[in-house]
Amino acid sequence: MKRTLRIFASLTLAEPFQAIIQGYTNAHPNVEVKPTYGFCGALMEQMAAGAPADVFAPSSEPILAKAVGQGFVQTATAVNYARNRLVLVSLMKDYPVAPKLEDLMEERYARIAIGDPESVPPGRYARMALEKAGLWQDLAARLQKYPDGLQPLKAVLEGRADAAFIFASTANSVSGKVYVVDIPVGVSMHYPVAVTTKGAEPELTRAFVAYLQTDSAQKSWNWRASLPS
């Protein structure tokens, strides 16, 4: 009889986790992994309501800290297993060259999409980068704020925005369609994971957290964002 491992993970992790879960189940054929992907705030609301989860994998350390504060995860089990990068994207067909951060002051970048800095990690990092460059106030009227980290890219692809700040992992899905420019922020953008406090399979959970840190799992981070060995 198979045992079940339930994972609550950020929606931005859906793509790499497909391969990671496959590798984990290949190594543990007696385990069925059931992932639930969504916005981290909604996932924590589900845990608060009693939804079963063994692993919590949010999109940033501040979100995991909130989960710790609310008693959802075991602090001692938390580890960072991958990291991301902030990038600026724009459609290749619209402009002949990739934009620099200071280029956003040009009139052609009248609509700039970001995740809400108050709740969306890439949006928070975008604000940090713009503040560091002295552009946050100047560009405030041009910013289109979205409730998640995926919609800014969609806005660019659909012509509703001229540029967007997103994670490199998100841009990976549209390689060849957009310019991708690394934006230095000065802070590490780690992906953390932790064992929940009410999980039914602590042994399987610890094994999954350990697997995330193996070479086999790290190969799934094909935007070159994994932690260095």
Side-chain angles (χ1 to χ4, degrees):
M1 182 177 177
K2 284 195 173 185
R3 298 161 67 185
T4 300
L5 178 66
R6 301 179 187 275
I7 299 172
F8 274 24
S10 166
L11 189 60
T12 60
L13 295 171
E15 182 180 351
F17 265 36
Q18 287 182 7
I20 288 170
I21 289 171
Q22 183 62 57
Y24 177 80
T25 54
N26 287 343
H28 300 81
N30 65 324
V31 179
E32 179 183 9
V33 177
K34 292 186 176 181
T36 298
Y37 302 109
F39 304 132
C40 295
L43 293 176
M44 286 195 287
E45 288 178 2
Q46 291 181 50
M47 286 192 286
D54 301 296
V55 177
F56 183 47
S59 56
S60 72
E61 292 174 283
I63 293 176
L64 184 68
K66 289 183 180 180
V68 169
Q70 295 181 43
F72 295 147
V73 299
Q74 302 176 31
T75 308
T77 66
V79 296
N80 293 326
Y81 62 94
R83 66 186 176 198
N84 224 320
R85 309 189 317 274
L86 182 70
V87 297
L88 177 66
V89 299
S90 61
L91 283 179
M92 288 182 173
K93 70 179 183 64
D94 288 345
Y95 308 115
V97 296
K100 302 182 184 68
L101 197 60
E102 56 268 26
D103 292 339
L104 295 180
M105 289 298 297
E106 297 178 6
E107 291 185 7
R108 62 182 177 176
Y109 296 106
R111 303 165 300 170
I112 304 167
I114 67 170
D116 186 344
E118 299 301 321
S119 58
V120 181
R124 180 169 62 253
Y125 295 129
R127 178 172 62 187
M128 292 172 62
L130 290 172
E131 287 177 341
K132 185 177 180 180
L135 298 173
W136 177 253
Q137 293 297 332
D138 291 335
L139 294 175
R142 303 186 187 188
L143 299 178
Q144 301 174 345
K145 299 176 183 178
Y146 291 89
D148 63 73
L150 302 179
Q151 290 189 51
L153 175 60
K154 186 177 180 181
V156 167
L157 295 176
E158 295 179 352
R160 293 181 284 107
D162 304 300
F165 287 97
I166 59 176
F167 274 151
S169 54
T170 304
N172 185 69
S173 64
V174 289
S175 177
K177 296 181 181 180
V178 298
Y179 292 114
V180 180
V181 180
D182 278 311
I183 302 299
V185 180
V187 298
S188 297
M189 304 173 196
H190 288 126
Y191 276 114
V193 65
V195 178
T196 65
T197 53
K198 297 182 179 180
E201 292 285 359
E203 179 184 349
L204 297 182
T205 303
R206 287 192 294 271
F208 182 80
V209 170
Y211 179 76
L212 283 173
Q213 302 169 74
T214 64
D215 290 341
S216 295
Q218 290 293 309
K219 292 177 182 177
S220 299
W221 305 98
N222 56 1
W223 62 85
R224 303 185 303 280
S226 58
L227 288 171
S229 57

